[in-house]
C-alpha cells in the first residue's frame, strides 16, 4: 500500500503549491473511516481510494481532486457525512465528494427508464465539475483492474457497463490511455477466448520478428536525425481489444493479422511534424490511403496528430503517428491534460456553478452543452436518446419505416442500412428515402434518420459499392454478388467490343452464329466467348475471322488519340464507365488517375480487363501500334456519386508550414489525400507527388486553383504519367 508521504510527494512533484496538510488530513480521515472494511480481494478497503488517488496523480491532477479521490467512498460506505467533510475540508472538496456520492449507486445497466434517469444524474453530476468525471473514471479503472476478484455474474455486468458507458465516455473526453485500458480489461472479462486467440497470435508474431520494435525505433530516429529533426520515437504493440475491433471491422482472420506495431514520433514543433512526415515519405514507400492530417483538421475531442503508414525498415508495414508533446498530452489524457480554473472565469459557467478546464477544450464544451440540455428538458427517454447517441460517437442509430432500430458504425450510408436489415434488401436496393425525402444512397446517415429502402428485383449491387460501404456485412455480401456479376460484366463488355467490330462491316450480333464461331475456336459457349473477349483473353480480330469477316477495316479507335478535344466519334458507341473497382474489368491507371469530366480511353489488357487512361496520358504512346486494344469510354452519370483519383505534381517552397498549407487546402476543398510523397528535395523547393480523390474535373480544378494561390506553393500541375 502506498504510504502517506509517497502520495503527498507525488502531488508536490508536479504541483509545488499543493496543500500538503489537507492531503495528509484526507489520507488519515479516509483510512480511519474505512477502518477494517475489506474488498473482495481481501485487501483493506482503503487500498481502493488510495489507488484511485494514485491513478489521478499520474494524470497530474490538483490537490482537491486527489483529496476527493481519497474520500470518494466514505459518505456512502462509512459513518462519515457530507456536513463533516465540508467542515473539515471546505466547500470545494465536499462538492466533489457529493457529486461522487450521488452517482455511486447508479446502476447504468437497468430497465430503460431508470437507465435514462441514472445516466442523466451521472452526467449532471459530472458536468458540473469535470473533476468528478475524472475521479469516477479512475474509480472505474481501479475496479476494473481488480475485477478478477469479483464473482463471475457480477463481473460480466460491470465489464459490459464499462464497455458500453465508461470507455466511450473516456474516449469522448479524449482520454485514450484510459479508454484503451478500460476496453481491454472489459474485453478480457467478456470475450476471454477471442482475447486468448489474439494474445497467442501476438506471441507468435513477436517470436517471429524478434527485436524489431527497438530496431525500427532506432532506424526511424537515425533517419530523422540525419535530416536535422530531433525526435523521440517510441514503438508499441497494439492492445488486444483494438486489434479485435479492427478484425471485426475489416473482417480479418487471425492469420491475416500483421500490422500490430504502432510508432509515435514526438517532435518539438508543429512545423517539425510536417518535416518528419516529409522525411518518412521520402525514405520509405507510402501505403496509399492511410494518410490523415488531424493537425490541420483536429478531431472533435481536440485530438491532433498526423497519421501515415509506410513500408518501413525490414519491409514491415509501420503505422506512424507524428505529433508534438502538447498534442500527445491531449491525445493521452484528454480533458485531464488541461489545467482547471480555480475560479470559473466564464461568467455563464460561473452562474451555473460549472467548473471549466483551462483553455479551449472541445470535449468540455460537449459536456457543457449536455448540461444545458439537462436544464431544459425533463423527459428522461428523450434525454437518454440524445445523450447516448452523442456518447457513442462512433455509432449512428437509424430506424426502418416501421420503427425498428438499426445501429450502424458512424459514417455508414443507406447501403449499409439496407444490408443491415437483410442481405436481399441490400442486393436489390436501388434508391432510398431518408426522412421521407429522396436521397443518394451514399448519403452518410445521421442519428435518428428514418430510412426507407427502394428496391428493384432487376438490380445487382455495383462492385464499386464495396468501396463506399462501412460495414463488414455489406462488404462481404457485395463481394459475393459481385463475383457472379463480374463474369456477366465481362461478357457484356465482350459483346460491346464485338458489336463495335461488326458495325464496321454493317453487321449485327447474332448469338447462333457467334456460338458456332466460338466452337471453331474451341470455346464451349457464346457466353464464355464473350467473357473471354471482355477479359482480353480472346482477340477481337480472331473472333471476327472466325465469324467470316476477313480483312481490316478502318478502326475508329485510332481517331481517339488524334482528336483530343472531340467529344464522341459519330456512330461508334462508347462504353459507359460505371463503378471502377479491382473486381471489375475497369481500373484507373495509377500514374495519372482519371476523374469524371476528363476525356478518357480504355486499353484492354489480357487477363486484367480495361485500364482507364485520361487522353493526355503519356503511357498511351505504348499502345499506338495496337489499335485493337483501344476502347472508347465515357463517364457514366452515376460516376458522380464516388470519388476518383487524380495525381498532381506540386512544387512547394522549402519553408516551414508548406506541407501544412497543402494538406489544409485539400481538406478545405472537400477532397481526400490518397497519397502524398516527397520526390525531390532541393534547397529552395521540393517536389511533391500528390494523389487527391475528387468528385469530378470541376472539383479538381477548384482544388488546383486554390493550391496555386497559396504563397508557399509554387506550381501545381496534373501528372501526365511521363515521369
Ligand atoms: Mn470507489
Amino acid at each position: 500500500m502506498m504510504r502517506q508521504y509517497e502520495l503527498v510527494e507525488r502531488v508536490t512533484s508536479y504541483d509545488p503549491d499543493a496543500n500538503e496538510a489537507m492531503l495528509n488530513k484526507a489520507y488519515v480521515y479516509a483510512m480511519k473511516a474505512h477502518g477494517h472494511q475489506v474488498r473482495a480481494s481481501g485487501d483493506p478497503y482503503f487500498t481502493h481510494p488510495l489507488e484511485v488517488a494514485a491513478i489521478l496523480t499520474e494524470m497530474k491532477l490538483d490537490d482537491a481532486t486527489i483529496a476527493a479521490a481519497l474520500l470518494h467512498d466514505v459518505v456512502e460506505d462509512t459513518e462519515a457525512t457530507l456536513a463533516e467533510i465540508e467542515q473539515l475540508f471546505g466547500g470545494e472538496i465536499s462538492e466533489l465528494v457529493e457529486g461522487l456520492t450521488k452517482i455511486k449507486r447508479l446502476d447504468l445497466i437497468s430497465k430503460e427508464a431508470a437507465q435514462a434517469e441514472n445516466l442523466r444524474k451521472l452526467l449532471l453530476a459530472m458536468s458540473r465539475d469535470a473533476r468528478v468525471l475524472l475521479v469516477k473514471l479512475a474509480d472505474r479503472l481501479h475496479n476494473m483492474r481488480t475485477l478478477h476478484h469479483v464473482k463471475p455474474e457480477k463481473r460480466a455486468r460491470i465489464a459490459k457497463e464499462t464497455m458500453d458507458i465508461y470507455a466511450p465516455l473516456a474516449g469522448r473526453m479524449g482520454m485514450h490511455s484510459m479508454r484503451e485500458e478500460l476496453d481491454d480489461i472489459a474485453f478480457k472479462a467478456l470475450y476471454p477466448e477471442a482475447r486468448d486467440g489474439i494474445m497467442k497470435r501476438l506471441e507468435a508474431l513477436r517470436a517471429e520478428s524478434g527485436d524489431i520494435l527497438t530496431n525500427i525505433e532506432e532506424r526511424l530516429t537515425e533517419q530523422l536525425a540525419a535530416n536535422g529533426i530531433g525526435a523521440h520515437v517510441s514503438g508499441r504493440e497494439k492492445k488486444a481489444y483494438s486489434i479485435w475491433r479492427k478484425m471485426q471491422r475489416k473482417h480479418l482472420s487471425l492469420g491475416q493479422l500483421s500490422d500490430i506495431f504502432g510508432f509515435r514520433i514526438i517532435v518539438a514543433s508543429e512545423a517539425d511534424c510536417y518535416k518528419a512526415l516529409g522525411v518518412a515519405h521520402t525514405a520509405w514507400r507510402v501505403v496509399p490511403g492511410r494518410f490523415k492530417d488531424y493537425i490541420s483538421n483536429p478531431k472533435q475531442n481536440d485530438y491532433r496528430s498526423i497519421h501515415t503508414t509506410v513500408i518501413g525498415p525490414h519491409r514491415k508495414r509501420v503505422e506512424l503517428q507524428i505529433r508534438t508533446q502538447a498534442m500527445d498530452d491531449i491525445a493521452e489524457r484528454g480533458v485531464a491534460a488541461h489545467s482547471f480554473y480555480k475560479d470559473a472565469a466564464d461568467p455563464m459557467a460561473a452562474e451555473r456553478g460549472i467548473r471549466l478546464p483551462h483553455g479551449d477544450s472541445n470535449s468540455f464544451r460537449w459536456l457543457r452543452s449536455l448540461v444545458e440540455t439537462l436544464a431544459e428538458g425533463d423527459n428522461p427517454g428523450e434525454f437518454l436518446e440524445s445523450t447516448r447517441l452523442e456518447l457513442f460517437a462512433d455509432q449512428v442509430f437509424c430506424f426502418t419505416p416501421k420503427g425498428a432500430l438499426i445501429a450502424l458504425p458512424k459514417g455508414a450510408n443507406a447501403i449499409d442500412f439496407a444490408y443491415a436489415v437483410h442481405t436481399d434488401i441490400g442486393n436489390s436496393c436501388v434508391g432510398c428515402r431518408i426522412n421521407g425525402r429522396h436521397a443518394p444512397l451514399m448519403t452518410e446517415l445521421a442519428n435518428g434518420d428514418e430510412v426507407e429502402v427502394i428496391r428493384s428485383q432487376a438490380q445487382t449491387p455495383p462492385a464499386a459499392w464495396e468501396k463506399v460501404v462501412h460495414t463488414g456485412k455489406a462488404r462481404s455480401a457485395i463481394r459475393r454478388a459481385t463475383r457472379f456479376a463480374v463474369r456477366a460484366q465481362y461478357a457484356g463488355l465482350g459483346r460491346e467490343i464485338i458489336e463495335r467490330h461488326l458495325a464496321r462491316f454493317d453487321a449485327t450480333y447474332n448469338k447462333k452464329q457467334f456460338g458456332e464461331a466460338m466452337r471453331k475456336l474451341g470455346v464451349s459457349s457464346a457466353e464464355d466467348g464473350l467473357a473471354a473477349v471482355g477479359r482480353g483473353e480472346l482477340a477481337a480480330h480472331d473472333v471476327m475471322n472466325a465469324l467470316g469477316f476477313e480483312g481490316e477495316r478502318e478502326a475508329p479507335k485510332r481517331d481517339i488519340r488524334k482528336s483530343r478535344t472531340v467529344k464522341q466519334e459519330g456512330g461508334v458507341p462508347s462504353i459507359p464507365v460505371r463503378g471502377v473497382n479491382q473486381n471489375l474489368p475497369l481500373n484507373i491507371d495509377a500514374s495519372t488517375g482519371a476523374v469524371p469530366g476528363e476525356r478518357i480511353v480504355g486499353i484492354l489488357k489480357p487477363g486484367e480487363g480495361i485500364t482507364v487512361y485520361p487522353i493526355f496520358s503519356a503511357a498511351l504512346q505504348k499502345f499506338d501500334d495496337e489499335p485493337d486494344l483501344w476502347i472508347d469510354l465515357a463517364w457514366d452519370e452515376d460516376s458522380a456519386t464516388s470519388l476518383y483519383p487524380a495525381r498532381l505534381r506540386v512544387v512547394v517552397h522549402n519553408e516551414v508550414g508548406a506541407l501544412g498549407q497543402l494538406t489544409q487546402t485539400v481538406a478545405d476543398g472537400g477532397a481526400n489525400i490518397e497519397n502524398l510523397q516527397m520526390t525531390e528535395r532541393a534547397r529552395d523547393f521540393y517536389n511533391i507527388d500528390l494523389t487527391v480523390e475528387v468528385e469530378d474535373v470541376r472539383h479538381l480544378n477548384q482544388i488546383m486553383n486554390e493550391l496555386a494561390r497559396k504563397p508557399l506553393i509554387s506550381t501545381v500541375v496534373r501528372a501526365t504519367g511521363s515521369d
Side-chain angles (χ1 to χ4, degrees):
M1 189 157 81
M2 198 194 305
R3 309 291 294 269
Q4 191 172 338
Y5 73 88
E6 288 174 88
L7 180 74
V8 175
E9 265 176 17
R10 277 206 199 187
V11 181
T12 50
S13 72
Y14 58 79
D15 180 12
D17 295 336
N19 185 339
E20 291 183 42
M22 186 269 287
L23 286 170
N24 282 315
K25 195 160 67 173
Y27 185 103
V28 173
Y29 183 88
M31 186 168 65
K32 280 192 178 155
H34 287 294
H36 296 296
Q37 292 174 346
V38 288
R39 305 200 83 212
S41 59
D43 289 334
Y45 193 91
F46 181 61
T47 55
H48 166 67
L50 189 56
E51 282 302 322
V52 174
I55 289 168
L56 293 164
T57 60
E58 280 159 28
M59 300 179 180
K60 298 189 168 62
L61 285 164
D62 67 340
D63 49 6
T65 312
I66 304 301
L70 290 168
L71 299 167
H72 82 271
D73 280 334
V74 294
V75 176
E76 191 59 37
D77 296 346
T78 78
E79 303 289 306
T81 64
L82 273 172
E84 197 180 13
I85 288 177
E86 187 173 357
Q87 197 195 343
L88 286 169
F89 298 96
E92 185 184 352
I93 291 173
S94 76
E95 271 171 37
L96 287 170
V97 175
E98 184 181 1
L100 287 157
T101 306
K102 273 189 189 155
I103 57 180
K104 175 141 164 57
R105 267 189 302 179
L106 298 185
D107 181 1
L108 295 171
I109 305 297
S110 56
K111 289 203 188 73
E112 192 75 350
Q115 189 186 0
E117 189 51 33
N118 283 344
L119 183 61
R120 193 170 108 106
K121 280 185 196 150
L122 171 76
L123 289 165
L124 188 59
M126 287 172 175
S127 52
R128 288 212 152 258
D129 188 329
R131 295 176 301 177
V132 173
L133 167 74
L134 300 176
V135 179
K136 183 68 203 171
L137 287 172
D139 176 39
R140 176 53 58 126
L141 181 58
H142 184 245
N143 285 333
M144 290 302 285
R145 284 178 181 171
T146 51
L147 188 67
H148 51 283
H149 296 298
V150 173
K151 284 193 203 109
E153 322 85 74
K154 208 177 160 198
R155 203 185 297 164
R157 185 185 62 75
I158 295 173
K160 181 149 183 8
E161 186 182 87
T162 300
M163 206 176 249
D164 284 354
I165 308 268
Y166 290 101
L169 194 53
R172 189 62 187 75
M173 303 312 285
M175 302 158 78
H176 291 287
S177 317
M178 170 83 80
R179 172 173 201 165
E180 219 172 35
E181 191 175 349
L182 287 173
D183 268 333
D184 208 50
I185 305 173
F187 178 48
K188 191 175 174 181
L190 291 171
Y191 306 98
E193 283 159 21
R195 189 172 183 278
D196 281 354
I198 290 171
M199 297 310 277
K200 283 205 187 90
R201 173 77 182 148
L202 285 178
E203 225 167 85
L205 285 170
R206 222 176 282 140
E208 220 171 82
S209 50
D211 205 15
I212 199 154
L213 216 59
T214 334
N215 212 314
I216 294 180
E217 262 174 29
E218 282 166 6
R219 293 285 304 276
L220 286 171
T221 312
E222 278 165 22
Q223 194 69 42
L224 290 164
N227 285 274
I229 301 166
H232 179 71
V233 180
S234 59
R236 51 172 224 145
E237 212 169 69
K238 292 181 190 163
K239 291 267 194 219
Y241 179 70
S242 72
I243 292 174
W244 186 66
R245 287 233 329 200
K246 188 172 180 183
M247 286 169 59
Q248 302 277 308
R249 217 172 41 232
K250 302 200 166 166
H251 282 251
L252 299 174
S253 68
L254 273 177
Q256 291 169 290
L257 196 57
S258 62
D259 51 337
I260 53 162
F261 302 122
F263 289 83
R264 193 163 293 165
I265 299 174
I266 308 284
V267 294
S269 66
E270 189 176 314
D272 275 359
C273 291
Y274 290 103
K275 278 193 204 154
L277 173 73
V279 172
H281 279 192
T282 313
W284 294 291
R285 197 155 65 77
V286 184
V287 178
R290 300 291 299 270
F291 173 77
K292 289 264 159 46
D293 181 3
Y294 294 118
I295 293 181
S296 302
N297 299 284
K299 285 193 191 177
Q300 248 189 333
N301 58 15
D302 298 327
Y303 177 85
R304 297 175 79 210
S305 186
I306 288 175
H307 291 188
T308 189
T309 304
V310 297
I311 307 297
H314 307 283
R315 299 239 184 95
K316 288 274 173 199
R317 236 173 122 104
V318 174
E319 270 185 36
L320 302 176
Q321 298 177 336
I322 307 171
R323 51 175 81 147
T324 65
Q325 188 58 54
M327 292 174 196
D328 192 52
D329 274 359
I330 300 274
E332 288 303 311
R333 301 195 289 137
V335 279
H338 297 276
S339 58
F340 289 81
Y341 279 121
K342 291 278 181 194
D343 308 294
D346 181 328
M348 203 174 78
E351 191 181 296
R352 289 170 187 256
I354 298 166
R355 184 175 283 263
L356 284 169
H358 180 71
D360 201 26
S361 159
N362 275 320
S363 307
F364 206 80
R365 231 175 285 129
W366 170 77
L367 199 56
R368 204 174 75 186
S369 80
L370 265 186
V371 185
E372 274 151 25
T373 322
L374 285 169
E376 286 157 17
D378 47 10
N379 176 346
E382 203 174 281
F383 173 73
L384 175 76
E385 202 171 297
S386 66
T387 308
R388 281 186 58 133
L389 297 185
E390 288 255 350
L391 188 53
F392 299 112
D394 50 356
Q395 288 190 61
V396 283
F397 297 89
C398 303
F399 300 93
T400 67
K402 284 181 182 165
L405 178 74
I406 305 290
L408 294 163
K410 195 171 174 61
N413 54 38
I415 304 170
D416 292 295
F417 181 92
Y419 277 102
V421 177
H422 196 280
T423 304
D424 287 346
I425 296 188
N427 281 338
S428 59
C429 120
V430 290
C432 69
R433 268 187 284 268
I434 299 176
N435 303 321
R437 290 181 170 207
H438 276 287
L441 282 169
M442 316 285 174
T443 311
E444 184 176 328
L445 297 176
N447 273 313
D449 278 349
E450 186 192 293
V451 184
E452 184 190 341
V453 177
I454 301 164
R455 303 171 63 188
S456 159
Q457 291 310 331
Q459 161 78 352
T460 41
W465 280 8
E466 200 189 314
K467 270 197 169 175
V468 301
V469 294
H470 287 72
T471 52
K473 186 180 181 192
R475 201 171 302 129
S476 55
I478 293 163
R479 212 173 282 160
R480 220 174 310 121
T482 305
R483 264 203 301 274
F484 294 109
V486 163
R487 210 188 92 99
Q489 290 202 28
Y490 274 120
L493 180 60
R495 178 157 169 176
E496 294 258 15
I497 294 167
I498 294 303
E499 280 181 348
R500 292 190 310 105
H501 276 80
L502 286 166
R504 294 188 216 160
F505 295 90
D506 293 322
T508 53
Y509 176 80
N510 175 303
K511 191 177 177 180
K512 201 175 156 218
Q513 283 166 7
F514 187 79
E516 279 161 16
M518 285 303 105
R519 269 190 294 283
K520 275 189 236 163
L521 292 170
V523 178
S524 57
S525 74
E527 187 76 3
D528 282 349
L530 289 174
V533 173
R535 271 196 293 266
E537 292 162 3
L538 189 54
H541 68 259
D542 289 342
V543 176
M544 291 303 285
N545 284 338
L547 281 166
F549 295 100
E550 303 285 336
E552 282 292 316
R553 287 276 174 115
E554 171 66 10
K557 298 176 294 293
R558 296 281 287 171
D559 299 341
I560 299 170
R561 263 191 79 73
K562 286 172 190 145
S563 57
R564 289 181 178 232
T565 55
V566 172
K567 281 183 203 145
Q568 262 343 293
E569 315 307 301
V572 182
S574 58
I575 296 170
V577 175
R578 282 179 212 281
V580 177
N581 180 291
Q582 53 190 8
N583 287 333
L584 267 176
L586 288 166
N587 296 296
I588 290 181
D589 179 53
S591 70
T592 50
V595 303
E598 285 180 332
R599 178 127 162 74
I600 47 173
V601 291
I603 297 292
L604 247 181
K605 296 185 180 172
E608 289 174 34
I610 294 175
T611 302
V612 180
Y613 293 88
I615 195 76
F616 56 75
S617 170
L620 287 170
Q621 282 164 15
K622 283 188 296 207
F623 306 104
D624 264 351
D625 301 327
E626 296 174 89
D628 271 336
L629 300 182
W630 290 67
I631 309 281
D632 195 10
L633 300 173
W635 294 100
D636 194 55
E637 276 174 23
D638 284 352
S639 307
T641 49
S642 304
L643 290 177
Y644 294 84
R647 198 163 178 180
L648 304 174
R649 303 248 170 253
V650 187
V651 180
V652 304
H653 294 264
N654 192 356
E655 268 177 53
V656 164
L659 265 182
Q661 202 167 68
L662 176 85
T663 61
Q664 180 73 63
T665 308
V666 173
D668 287 347
N672 296 333
I673 292 183
E674 213 261 332
N675 199 357
L676 182 158
Q677 190 144 15
M678 326 277 265
T679 50
E680 260 168 73
R681 196 160 189 167
R683 258 174 81 189
D684 307 340
F685 294 97
Y686 50 102
N687 296 335
I688 290 172
D689 178 349
L690 176 73
T691 303
V692 292
E693 290 180 320
V694 293
E695 285 161 21
D696 54 23
V697 71
R698 205 157 45 154
H699 189 197
L700 177 65
N701 286 336
Q702 270 169 16
I703 304 260
M704 289 175 67
N705 287 338
E706 279 306 313
L707 285 171
R709 280 169 45 183
K710 299 292 169 193
L712 293 178
I713 295 172
S714 168
T715 57
V716 183
V717 293
R718 189 81 170 75
T720 58
S722 59
D723 33 308

